[in-house]
Amino acid sequence: MTASVLRVDATRPDRLHVTLDHPQTRNAISAAMVADLHEICLSLERDPRILLLSGAGGVFASGADIAELRERRRDDALAGINSGIFQRIAALPMPVIAVIDGWALGGGAELAYAADFRIASTSAKIGNPETSLGIAAAAGATWRLVELVGEPLAKEILLAGRVLTAEQALAVRLVTEVHPPEALSAAADDLADRIAAQDPLAVRITKSLIHAPRSAHPAIDNAAQAVLFESEQKFARMTAFLDRKKK
């Protein structure tokens, strides 16, 4: 796939590396970018792979495109332009890794919150300045960020404009790793390698269990395990484990 505001690297069969690349707006989340991300999601729903999301030019994403946002009205908000794509990304079958270098603000931060993993460079800064622009962080931050870091810190970020540095984000586990900018891409591939070493079906099912509502457990866990107990990978991997123990 070739997209005007995204660069796509599909050279490895188990992953797709998508780079937000619109330097004029510091990779702002525009309608064009949303459309391209929907195409990416369609591809990954049909052919599940790990998704790595990063930004070009030392910026993850500076936010939503303010020029576009200024012109949006009630019906645009109700259409959930950004919230819809972030929800679709969060629901992808295989894990999503947000690779945060530099600014991840507003919609850019909400895109990162929708990922399963967030790793950052030492220059990363994460925040939600929406209320300073007269709007709400309505594409996931008001609930995803609360789940990720807790209500008190989420309120500092959402209501008082606090911006987290990479080390602060690591301390509250909003990101799980921090690396120098020049080492960030390799670190992202290392994490993807660790995921890829697992059984893909077990990873997909486990991700779906994590995101299932509390009321669905434990019945959904038992049903999922029943499927995995019959899989070829379960027998092959457990046999290999037992064979290694014998040596």
Side-chain angles (χ1 to χ4, degrees):
M1 171 186 173
T2 301
S4 59
V5 291
L6 302 179
R7 284 192 280 111
V8 181
D9 180 356
T11 54
R12 298 182 65 170
D14 58 10
R15 70 199 63 176
L16 198 66
H17 191 168
V18 173
T19 304
L20 314 183
D21 189 10
H22 195 246
Q24 300 94 317
T25 60
R26 293 191 173 185
N27 307 330
I29 311 294
S30 63
M33 187 176 289
V34 168
D36 289 336
L37 286 170
H38 275 296
E39 290 295 318
I40 294 293
C41 287
L42 180 61
S43 172
L44 293 174
E45 289 158 355
R46 292 173 171 172
D47 178 17
R49 286 164 285 170
I50 301 162
L51 173 61
L52 296 92
L53 284 169
S54 64
V59 177
F60 180 69
S62 61
D65 189 304
I66 302 300
E68 290 186 4
L69 273 183
R70 187 181 60 178
E71 303 307 315
R72 289 181 185 171
R73 305 301 292 268
R74 176 191 60 194
D75 289 348
D76 297 306
L78 293 174
I81 295 168
N82 285 3
S83 62
I85 186 57
F86 297 162
Q87 183 61 26
R88 192 173 184 183
I89 288 169
L92 285 171
M94 289 293 283
V96 178
I97 304 169
V99 187
I100 306 169
D101 188 20
W103 294 101
L105 296 176
E110 289 179 301
L111 173 58
Y113 303 155
D116 299 289
F117 298 90
R118 284 158 297 282
I119 68 172
S121 78
T122 50
S123 67
K125 290 183 173 60
I126 305 170
N128 288 92
E130 282 89 344
T131 53
S132 73
L133 297 169
I135 60 173
T142 57
W143 53 280
R144 284 198 181 100
L145 186 59
V146 171
E147 292 175 352
L148 290 167
V149 302
E151 185 175 314
L153 179 55
K155 283 180 174 177
E156 278 195 72
I157 295 167
L158 295 169
L159 304 180
R162 181 174 177 184
V163 175
L164 299 183
T165 65
E167 290 302 327
Q168 290 167 337
L170 180 63
V172 298
R173 307 303 289 167
L174 181 58
V175 302
T176 54
E177 302 176 27
V178 173
H179 301 274
E182 64 273 14
L184 187 60
S185 180
D189 272 319
D190 286 345
L191 175 55
D193 288 342
R194 298 198 299 274
I195 297 168
Q198 315 306 310
D199 170 32
L201 180 60
V203 169
R204 290 177 59 181
I205 286 178
T206 300
K207 177 175 174 175
S208 69
L209 293 176
I210 291 170
H211 291 294
R214 177 64 182 84
S215 59
H217 301 281
I220 193 172
D221 305 87
N222 297 338
Q225 196 75 301
V227 172
L228 290 170
F229 272 9
E230 298 297 327
S231 73
E232 293 182 7
Q233 277 286 310
K234 174 241 184 177
F235 290 102
R237 286 171 176 261
M238 289 192 177
T239 299
F241 174 83
L242 292 172
D243 288 344
R244 287 194 301 270
K245 282 192 69 175
K246 291 176 184 177
K247 295 178 181 177

